[in-house]
Amino acid sequence: MATKVAIIASNGSLFDAYKVFNVATAAAASDAEVGIFFTFEGLNLIHKEGHKQLPIPEGREHFQEGFKKENIPSIPELLEMAKEMGVKIIACQMTMDVMSLDKDAFVDGIEVGGAATFIQYASDANITLTF
C-alpha cells in the first residue's frame, strides 16, 4: 500500500514554508502521494508574489545566510519541485473569499477547494501533519 500524506499549511513565515515544502518533497521523493491544504496565512506560501518574500522570525535573520551556504533551495524552487513531483496543492476557498483573493493571485497549477475537499483527500491518509 502506498503512503499518502496530508498536510495543512496555516502559517506563512519562511520557516513554515521550509517545513511544509521540505516534508512534502521528501515524502513525494519516497513515492508517497502528497496533498497540501493552504489556509489563512499559509496562503502566502503559494501566493504569486508573497512566496518570494516570506517573513523571517525576528532575531533569526542569520538563517538566511545558512540556507545559502548549505545550498538549500529557495521557497520558489521548492514549490516548483513539489509541483513537478505531483504534490497536490489546494488553496482554501473560504480564506480566499474572506481575503478577496482570486485564483490568479496564486502560482499556476493549484486547485481551489474548501475544508470538505481536504477532508475527503485526507480521509485515507497514513500521515497527517499541520504546520
Side-chain angles (χ1 to χ4, degrees):
M1 179 173 114
T3 301
K4 186 173 184 182
V5 180
I7 300 171
I8 296 175
S10 60
N11 294 297
S13 80
L14 184 70
F15 288 6
D16 299 307
Y18 274 113
K19 293 172 199 172
V20 168
F21 293 123
N22 199 21
V23 169
T25 54
S30 304
D31 292 327
E33 180 184 343
V34 183
I36 311 170
F37 184 67
F38 293 86
T39 187
F40 293 96
E41 288 89 3
L43 284 175
N44 288 335
L45 309 187
I46 56 171
H47 188 275
K48 266 186 187 156
E49 295 308 316
H51 81 287
K52 298 175 189 170
Q53 50 198 358
L54 297 168
I56 298 175
E58 196 172 322
R60 308 284 183 177
E61 296 81 4
H62 62 282
F63 273 82
Q64 197 71 305
E65 199 175 293
F67 289 136
K68 283 187 183 121
K69 187 178 135 204
E70 295 302 321
N71 294 317
I72 306 297
S74 68
I75 295 308
E77 291 170 320
L78 283 172
L79 174 55
E80 202 49 46
M81 286 167 56
K83 291 191 319 184
E84 287 171 6
M85 297 169 100
V87 173
K88 182 189 218 51
I89 296 184
I90 308 164
C92 177
Q93 180 72 64
M94 182 201 75
T95 306
M96 288 171 60
D97 292 346
V98 168
M99 299 171 111
S100 300
L101 294 168
D102 292 322
K103 188 175 179 180
D104 1 335
F106 299 95
V107 297
D108 293 335
I110 68 160
E111 293 177 36
V112 175
T117 303
F118 178 75
I119 296 298
Q120 183 180 4
Y121 177 84
S123 65
D124 61 349
N126 310 85
I127 301 168
T128 306
L129 303 166
T130 303
F131 294 105

